Amino acid sequence: MHRLDISNLRLEYGFKRVLWDVFLRCETGKVLGLLGRNGCGKTCLMKAVYGELKLRDQYVGIDGKVLLTSERRPEDMRYLPQHDFIPSGLSVKRVFGDFGVDFERFVTDFPEFEQVYRKRIKAFSSGERRIIEAYLILTSETKFCLLDEPFSFLMPLHVQKMKEIIHREKATKGILITDHYFEDVMEVSDELFVLRGGKTWKVNERKDLELLQYIKESDGIQDR
């Protein structure tokens, strides 16, 4: 089992505290869900953990060993950003090879991609690209996956399949996920937190989302 510890993350823009004394722990076999309103700092948190954003104060460590470098090793951590990250000119064959992921297994999960092995990434829609990129991050050899908006642009059928893959892959890795489709995040998460006021607050039941002002009413309408 592996453990990812995140603590003391502090980020300020002027007088605004974006992250302040954040604490999270993600372990192999668990999905850690992170919710929060737009602009609350979820993406900043993900980037800081991955090393893309350097903070003045932070602790990020795996199995008790602090990660000091700006670059994370793929075998330790993979990151799915909000934006497309695979160069458009590369072929499906190339990117699956680069990530060491079995294309045939991918087709088993998404049969509609059976004939795309030699296509270039630029040929796909936003939703199709999201499926490919999220799948590569989730199924490659790594200890931890950071997923920022993995359900964006996906049809409901594909969202359900992606949740099944998340559940399957957590057997061998820890997964930190955030998405504005909070019902889906709640469904796949073993532990759930809300980022509010720069701090992380543990969610034990749905009512906590109202108390933390993440949703307005008990029917689950999100305040956007």
Side-chain angles (χ1 to χ4, degrees):
M1 186 182 81
H2 299 287
R3 186 184 77 248
L4 171 65
D5 289 307
I6 305 160
S7 62
N8 299 325
L9 268 62
R10 296 188 180 185
L11 174 63
E12 298 174 276
Y13 290 120
F15 294 103
K16 181 181 180 182
R17 290 181 174 178
V18 180
L19 301 174
W20 193 256
D21 200 25
V22 167
F23 175 83
L24 292 169
R25 172 173 289 175
C26 186
E27 299 176 339
T28 303
K30 289 187 177 181
V31 177
L32 197 67
L34 181 66
L35 301 176
R37 288 184 170 187
N38 289 339
C40 73
K42 300 186 301 296
T43 293
C44 288
L45 188 154
M46 289 278 196
K47 287 183 175 181
V49 173
Y50 190 62
E52 283 192 0
L53 179 62
K54 185 171 177 59
L55 307 185
R56 184 186 64 186
D57 296 309
Q58 63 178 5
Y59 175 83
V60 178
I62 293 179
D63 299 335
K65 182 180 179 180
V66 64
L67 301 178
L68 296 173
T69 62
S70 60
E71 295 294 331
R72 304 301 194 229
R73 297 187 305 171
E75 58 266 34
D76 286 332
M77 191 182 298
R78 294 275 194 180
Y79 172 46
L80 176 73
Q82 286 186 2
H83 56 80
D84 297 335
F85 71 91
I86 296 177
S88 298
L90 296 184
S91 67
V92 171
K93 176 183 178 181
R94 166 70 185 275
V95 295
F96 272 77
D98 287 347
F99 277 81
V101 172
D102 184 3
F103 181 76
E104 294 303 321
R105 191 184 186 197
F106 173 64
V107 170
T108 300
D109 287 317
F110 296 97
E112 59 271 38
F113 285 85
E114 185 175 6
Q115 304 299 322
V116 305
Y117 192 53
R118 299 192 181 279
K119 279 190 175 182
R120 298 193 181 276
I121 297 299
K122 62 184 177 183
F124 297 101
S125 68
S126 296
E128 291 169 333
R129 287 185 69 157
R130 202 61 179 164
I131 289 171
I132 292 171
E133 292 181 337
Y135 190 90
L136 290 171
I137 295 297
L138 273 167
T139 61
S140 57
E141 289 292 330
T142 190
K143 297 182 181 74
F144 295 97
C145 295
L146 312 180
L147 307 177
D148 195 350
E149 304 284 352
F151 305 129
S152 292
F153 307 114
L154 301 193
M155 297 185 299
L157 180 66
H158 291 150
V159 170
Q160 185 58 41
K161 173 55 70 172
M162 198 61 69
K163 288 190 288 188
E164 292 173 10
I165 294 168
I166 290 171
H167 181 75
R168 182 179 76 203
E169 291 299 317
K170 77 174 185 178
T172 58
K173 60 196 67 168
I175 299 172
L176 176 60
I177 180 173
T178 184
D179 201 290
H180 65 278
Y181 293 112
F182 75 97
E183 295 278 7
D184 296 311
V185 174
M186 292 177 67
E187 183 178 332
V188 298
S189 297
D190 298 292
E191 289 187 276
L192 191 64
F193 291 82
V194 168
L195 182 61
R196 181 172 182 268
K199 295 186 177 183
T200 46
W201 305 81
K202 180 73 180 293
V203 174
N204 296 307
E205 57 183 1
R206 194 182 185 89
K207 185 71 175 177
D208 293 338
L209 296 179
E210 295 180 50
L211 296 175
L212 290 166
Q213 300 180 349
Y214 180 69
I215 58 176
K216 280 184 175 179
E217 304 169 0
S218 57
D219 61 3
I221 297 176
Q222 190 175 346
D223 186 10
R224 290 293 186 198

